[in-house]
Amino acid sequence: MTNQAGANVAPKPPGAEGTTLRDQFAMMRHAFMASPLLKTILWLSVGSFAIIIATAIGQIILNRWNRPFFDAIERRDLDAFFYQLLLFVAIAGGLLVLNVTQQWLNQMVRLKLREGLTLDLINEWMRPLRAFRLANSGAMGINPDQRMQEDAGHLADLTTDLGFGLLQSSILLASFVSVLWALSAGFVFHIGGYSLEIPGYMVWAAILYAGSASWLSWLVGRPLITLNGDRYAREAELRFSLMHASEHIDAISLAGGETGERRRLELDLATVLGAMRNIYRAQINLAWVQDGYGWVTVVAPILVAAPVYFAGEISFGGLMMAVGAFNQVHTSLKWFVANISAIADWRATLLRVAAFRRALIMTDVLHDAEKRIEFVENDTNKLTFDNLEVASSSGSTRLAESHIEIGAGQRVIISGDPRAGKTLLFRALARLWPWGGGRVGMPAGEMVAFIPRSPYFPRGKLRDALSYPRAGAFSDASLVAALSKVGLDQLTTLLDREARWERELSDDEQRSLAFARLILHRPRWVILDEALETMDGEAMKLALSIFEDDLRETAVVKIGRTPRNGALFSRVIHLVKDPEGPVLKPIRFGGSAHEKEVAASGAP
């Protein structure tokens, strides 16, 4: 129960215009630059960069160690052999410390990225009215929990691993290209009486070898981007179906609907398994390329370096040094090949997270060109409606009278046919649904409480659920008195118990608890959305007595049917469908191909 405030139209941030990779990068960069964890992530990244540089230097030293070590073996020099082993222990020990330190820094970056990204999405999601509008905007609003929990965490992990992996490969490539170039510099091929000199030919051989592998891997593995995006969408549908069945298991069991629910879940599972089979088929095709090149790589560096060795240009130790340098250059160049599956996964996850963040921000400008209801504050203590109509994708709803005034303390019912749009009107008055026409004048400076048909209770202590959203604002005596007033005396000793109260309490008890909140908050205006419709006689009598005793001066606007005990209400206003009123067009958000397909059938 809070005063409702209208949403300001926000400008489009960078990256909000489209769904290309550049737009998605711009969207996530905007989130990153605005994060309070930016400095921490940057400092951790700088530390990791320094460790990678030190590791590259250590790898160069280790590569140079190959020449004297294998030369000592070739000479059968035992003293030099043991001396080189001691050097190896020192070099390997230093690299071990660097590797462990880098792993720790990478984990901290991953942790902070996850924290920053998830907090950003939660903050954007929990801005006033955004979560509600997103939930009513089509397919994009179906599984926000998965986007913020699973997708955000997965994106943070992949970004950290791929980002630092690419950085390390780039630094090692720059470090060992010069080594490999020097080892093959000045070598001349003699073929059929002709001499051919290719400066740094081992570098070009490594580039050609890794480049062909990267090109072929991308060609074969590119479909994984779309396939991964489709799988995540299917997984989200299965998760939603499971959660939906779990939340409504009482009704399903009472109706004996387990068989039908099982069939629906089996169909959702089948779509997930089908998407996974498509991914596995693509991964098998990619494995032919990656594993084939992997086997060739066993002998490729020796074959490339063999002409120099057999020509007597380098010793056996020099050959092993060249092989080590070739492997480092090749490993760096084939980073793309080795990570094509992870890159495709990262690309699909980035698409989902960026599209979700874009959708959150774009909810502020949904139907920006559509006509909106005008909200003003009245100079007098009255609630007024002038030519009020509410638009939706299924048509328009309006009040039968063009001008309506409700004074302080009055009790009014707004009633209509079952499909007249009563809940839509309730949402419009609460400014959750601003599309339509006409004017609503709210009483200036007065608290207006909006009571939905199904009250919300946060997880936690009963005292917090009762005083929501002003936890801690009321004394125990006030809480106990409010519970007793609505017939919930059995709960007065449970104020500090933590539970999921929507499952602990019956429907009548939940609605009675919502009316107990009214006693605590004492609003001057109350607007109800069919909150009394299903209450039994005694519970309804207690609820209505609140307005007769505790809230005698409070104005009450009830949207719904006239209660059996309707003496409290002295006026009825009719709500009707308007076939000639405005109709909203379906909302479109960017996303995966599957999400666009689902969104095509969605409506506000």
Side-chain angles (χ1 to χ4, degrees):
M1 293 181 296
T2 57
N3 289 323
Q4 303 295 326
N8 295 324
V9 176
K12 295 180 182 180
E17 295 80 9
T19 57
T20 65
L21 180 60
R22 194 173 93 178
D23 291 335
Q24 291 156 19
F25 268 126
M27 172 62 67
M28 302 317 297
R29 183 180 67 248
H30 181 77
F32 180 71
M33 297 303 294
S35 173
L37 299 172
L38 175 61
K39 289 185 178 179
T40 302
I41 294 173
L42 289 178
W43 278 113
L44 288 170
S45 299
V46 168
S48 188
F49 177 76
I51 294 297
I52 290 174
I53 293 291
T55 301
I57 295 173
Q59 292 285 356
I60 293 175
I61 295 173
L62 180 62
N63 181 258
R64 290 177 179 174
W65 169 86
N66 279 296
R67 184 194 295 270
F69 178 71
F70 285 103
D71 283 346
I73 294 176
E74 186 180 25
R75 297 192 309 268
R76 292 179 174 82
D77 186 341
L78 192 60
D79 291 338
F81 173 77
F82 282 113
Y83 174 73
Q84 293 300 324
L85 283 180
L86 290 175
L87 286 180
F88 173 78
V89 172
I91 296 170
L95 287 173
L96 175 62
V97 173
L98 291 173
N99 289 337
V100 173
T101 303
Q102 181 184 340
Q103 183 177 356
W104 180 83
L105 286 170
N106 289 359
Q107 290 173 342
M108 291 300 102
V109 171
R110 180 185 291 111
L111 184 68
K112 292 301 179 182
L113 273 178
R114 167 74 183 275
E115 180 183 357
L117 180 56
T118 306
L119 285 176
D120 173 77
L121 293 177
I122 291 174
N123 289 337
E124 295 294 342
W125 187 50
M126 281 289 104
R127 287 180 184 267
L129 307 183
R130 273 190 182 175
F132 170 82
R133 290 180 182 171
L134 184 69
N136 289 273
S137 63
M140 188 62 71
I142 292 177
N143 296 100
D145 54 304
Q146 185 182 36
R147 308 276 183 149
M148 291 181 283
Q149 184 262 328
E150 185 174 337
D151 290 346
H154 195 45
L155 180 61
D157 291 345
L158 289 173
T159 300
T160 303
D161 292 340
L162 292 174
F164 283 120
L166 178 60
L167 176 62
Q168 187 168 24
S169 295
S170 300
I171 292 174
L172 287 175
L173 175 63
S175 302
F176 279 93
V177 159
S178 58
V179 175
L180 198 60
W181 187 284
L183 286 172
S184 56
F187 181 73
V188 179
F189 289 93
H190 301 284
I191 305 174
Y194 294 95
S195 297
L196 177 64
E197 181 179 356
I198 304 177
Y201 88 96
M202 293 182 69
V203 174
W204 302 116
I207 292 174
L208 179 63
Y209 180 70
S212 63
S214 298
W215 176 79
L216 189 56
S217 295
W218 172 247
L219 193 66
V220 175
R222 187 176 182 180
L224 283 168
I225 295 175
T226 302
L227 294 175
N228 276 313
D230 182 66
R231 176 195 171 181
Y232 289 139
R234 305 291 184 181
E235 294 275 14
E237 291 176 5
L238 175 59
R239 178 177 175 178
F240 175 77
S241 296
L242 291 169
M243 291 176 59
H244 186 266
S246 177
E247 291 292 333
H248 298 85
I249 195 63
D250 291 355
I252 293 171
S253 299
L254 289 171
E258 289 88 350
T259 302
E261 291 298 323
R262 186 180 70 249
R263 290 198 191 99
R264 276 186 283 272
L265 294 174
E266 288 172 351
L267 288 174
D268 286 341
L269 176 60
T271 62
V272 172
L273 296 178
M276 293 178 68
R277 274 192 291 269
N278 292 335
I279 290 175
Y280 294 158
R281 191 178 298 114
Q283 288 176 338
I284 291 298
N285 293 335
L286 184 60
W288 283 105
V289 177
Q290 292 179 325
D291 292 351
Y293 271 92
W295 283 110
V296 175
T297 303
V298 174
V299 296
I302 297 178
L303 292 176
V304 172
V308 184
Y309 176 72
F310 286 112
E313 299 289 338
I314 57 175
S315 64
F316 179 67
L319 173 66
M320 300 310 296
M321 182 177 173
V323 169
F326 183 94
N327 282 331
Q328 286 287 2
V329 171
H330 171 257
T331 299
S332 299
L333 287 172
K334 75 165 190 173
W335 175 88
F336 182 83
V337 179
N339 292 279
I340 182 65
S341 294
I343 292 171
D345 193 7
W346 171 83
R347 180 72 176 86
T349 308
L350 174 66
L351 172 62
R352 285 176 58 81
V353 174
F356 177 69
R357 191 176 191 275
R358 177 177 180 266
L360 285 172
I361 295 173
M362 291 301 290
T363 53
D364 289 342
V365 292
L366 288 179
H367 298 300
D368 201 31
E370 305 281 359
K371 188 177 179 182
R372 299 196 176 203
I373 300 170
E374 180 184 2
F375 285 86
V376 299
E377 287 192 347
N378 291 326
D379 294 334
T380 59
N381 191 18
K382 290 182 179 181
L383 175 64
T384 60
F385 306 128
D386 291 291
N387 300 312
L388 178 62
E389 60 181 355
V390 185
S392 72
S393 60
S394 60
S396 180
T397 295
R398 64 177 177 84
L399 295 175
E401 303 173 41
S402 60
H403 177 75
I404 297 171
E405 290 187 4
I406 300 174
Q410 290 187 4
R411 313 297 169 84
V412 177
I413 291 178
I414 299 178
S415 182
D417 295 334
R419 299 182 60 84
K422 293 185 286 292
T423 295
L424 194 62
L425 174 65
F426 174 81
R427 293 174 174 179
L429 296 182
R431 301 193 186 186
L432 298 178
W433 196 264
W435 299 289
R439 174 183 295 184
V440 175
M442 305 297 288
E446 297 286 354
M447 179 181 179
V448 181
F450 295 91
I451 311 299
R453 65 175 73 182
S454 298
Y456 169 74
F457 302 103
R459 294 178 62 180
K461 296 180 179 180
L462 177 61
R463 65 169 68 249
D464 297 333
L466 177 57
S467 56
Y468 182 82
R470 296 170 57 193
F474 306 101
S475 66
D476 286 4
S478 299
L479 299 176
V480 170
L483 290 173
S484 299
K485 179 66 179 180
V486 296
L488 297 178
D489 298 270
Q490 71 276 16
L491 300 180
T492 56
T493 60
L494 305 178
L495 291 177
D496 290 313
R497 180 185 169 192
E498 295 190 6
R500 291 188 61 179
W501 295 104
E502 75 278 5
R503 292 193 172 187
E504 292 281 331
L505 305 177
S506 67
D507 290 343
D508 274 353
E509 287 175 331
Q510 292 180 46
R511 291 184 174 87
S512 296
L513 194 63
F515 282 103
R517 286 176 179 170
L518 290 177
I519 298 175
L520 294 171
H521 291 84
R522 296 189 175 276
R524 298 287 296 174
W525 295 78
V526 174
I527 299 178
L528 306 169
D529 177 28
E530 300 183 325
L532 299 172
E533 313 302 275
T534 60
M535 298 182 73
D536 63 27
E538 186 61 28
M540 180 181 291
K541 181 179 178 181
L542 290 172
L544 293 177
S545 70
I546 294 173
F547 300 113
E548 296 172 349
D549 302 329
D550 300 87
L551 303 176
R552 287 189 298 272
E553 304 300 323
T554 298
V556 181
V557 178
K558 179 186 179 301
I559 302 175
R561 299 191 304 271
T562 303
R564 291 183 296 275
N565 182 5
L568 177 70
F569 302 95
S570 58
R571 183 181 176 189
V572 177
I573 299 172
H574 294 285
L575 184 69
V576 297
K577 296 290 289 185
D578 185 1
E580 298 181 358
V583 178
L584 296 185
K585 296 178 181 179
I587 298 169
R588 296 291 184 265
F589 287 123
S592 68
H594 175 67
E595 286 171 336
K596 290 177 180 178
E597 174 188 335
V598 175
S601 62

